[in-house]
């Protein structure tokens, strides 16, 4: 299974061309370099047409990230099987997060940039992620109820385990560590230990 995120290039409709150009401009010039005029030129869509799809720049950026998060969730949840034992569910998800971030190295920096922008609404984002990753939330809840996981809030369990993967991948991509299968397996066990009851 390919983990490369190619969300908008595979579509030819105007809205997708606008969103693809949005991502390109944000990557090259940041949020401050994103203007509707530049966006119209890059996407090949008339400036007035932009407003048929998006009320303003704020809505455009929010919808861009909503679609990205939706696509990421769909990829990460492929093969996620709630009937498997808890550890196997967790291990498979951990590897998919690792593989996705290695294949899409710009995703993490784009996410961090968005989360530190004025467009970001943390409450809305938390609700959206809980909806998109409902099977993962259910896995953690199952672990708490079964007495496998520590009785902590699910966001804390996620932070102690899965939220470490992007940081490890960054170090891997910079050559500080090698996140091969052997290292990953050992790290998964360490993360698992951090959230499990003794």
């Amino acid at each position: 299974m390919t983990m490369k995120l190619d969300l908008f290039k595979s579509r030819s409709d105007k809205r997708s061309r606008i969103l693809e150009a949005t991502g390109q401009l944000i990557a090259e010039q940041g949020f401050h370099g994103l203007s509707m005029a530049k966006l119209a030129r890059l996407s090949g869509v008339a400036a007035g047409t932009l407003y048929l799809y998006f009320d303003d720049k704020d809505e455009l950026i929010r919808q861009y990230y909503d679609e990205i998060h939706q696509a990421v969730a769909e990829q990460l949840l492929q093969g996620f099987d709630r009937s498997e034992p808890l550890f196997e569910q967790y291990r498979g998800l951990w590897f998919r997060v690792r593989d996705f971030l290695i294949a899409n190295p710009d995703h993490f920096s784009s996410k961090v940039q968005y989360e530190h922008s004025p467009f970001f609404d943390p409450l809305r984002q938390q609700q959206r992620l809980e909806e998109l990753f409902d099977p993962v939330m259910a896995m953690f809840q199952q672990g708490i109820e079964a007495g496998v996981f520590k009785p902590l809030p699910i966001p804390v369990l996620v932070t102690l385990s899965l939220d470490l993967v992007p940081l490890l991948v960054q170090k891997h991509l910079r050559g500080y560590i090698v996140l091969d299968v052997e290292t990953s397996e050992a790290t998964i066990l360490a993360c698992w230990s951090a959230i499990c009851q003794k």
Side-chain angles (χ1 to χ4, degrees):
M1 167 179 64
T2 178
M3 295 297 281
K4 184 71 178 164
L5 188 65
D6 195 14
L7 179 60
F8 305 115
K9 288 184 180 176
S10 60
R11 304 188 210 157
S12 60
D13 61 284
K14 288 181 182 178
R15 185 175 182 279
S16 296
R17 288 194 345 244
I18 295 165
L19 291 170
E20 181 185 347
T22 299
Q24 186 177 336
L25 282 172
I26 290 171
E28 291 171 0
Q29 302 176 26
F31 292 112
H32 298 298
L34 177 65
S35 72
M36 296 308 243
K38 287 180 186 175
L39 191 55
R41 281 194 301 276
L42 186 60
S43 65
V45 173
T49 303
L50 296 175
Y51 294 99
L52 296 176
Y53 296 97
F54 310 99
D55 291 338
D56 55 28
K57 179 176 160 179
D58 291 12
E59 185 194 353
L60 166 68
I61 290 171
R62 285 191 191 97
Q63 285 196 33
Y64 170 78
Y65 280 96
D66 277 353
E67 290 221 13
I68 293 291
H69 291 135
Q70 175 78 41
V72 169
E74 287 171 5
Q75 281 205 8
L76 294 182
L77 292 176
Q78 281 183 12
F80 187 74
D81 186 352
R82 289 292 320 286
S83 68
E84 289 183 336
L86 272 175
F87 179 74
E88 292 307 317
Q89 292 178 53
Y90 176 79
R91 180 183 173 276
L93 181 61
W94 200 100
F95 269 114
R96 283 191 297 281
V97 172
R98 181 201 70 167
D99 294 346
F100 173 82
L101 292 170
I102 288 172
N104 301 277
D106 293 335
H107 175 73
F108 183 68
S109 59
S110 173
K111 179 178 179 288
V112 170
Q113 182 183 13
Y114 175 60
E115 289 174 354
H116 288 87
S117 76
F119 309 104
F120 182 67
D121 178 344
L123 182 59
R124 179 181 181 274
Q125 178 72 359
Q126 184 63 34
Q127 291 170 340
R128 178 90 171 120
L129 291 177
E130 286 176 7
E131 290 168 10
L132 291 173
F133 290 97
D134 181 64
V136 176
M137 301 299 112
M139 176 195 74
F140 280 107
Q141 187 61 44
Q142 177 189 354
I144 293 168
E145 290 171 2
V148 175
F149 295 153
K150 293 173 180 168
L152 294 168
I154 291 174
V156 174
L157 296 174
V158 172
T159 300
L160 288 171
S161 56
L162 296 174
D163 282 356
L164 295 175
V165 184
L167 301 174
L168 292 166
V169 168
Q170 274 190 322
K171 290 182 183 297
H172 168 80
L173 294 172
R174 292 175 180 163
Y176 300 140
I177 62 172
V178 177
L179 206 54
D180 56 15
V181 173
E182 183 179 352
T183 303
S184 295
E185 292 283 11
T187 306
I188 288 168
L189 289 174
C191 291
W192 178 258
S193 177
I195 61 175
C196 283
Q197 301 270 31
K198 301 297 181 196

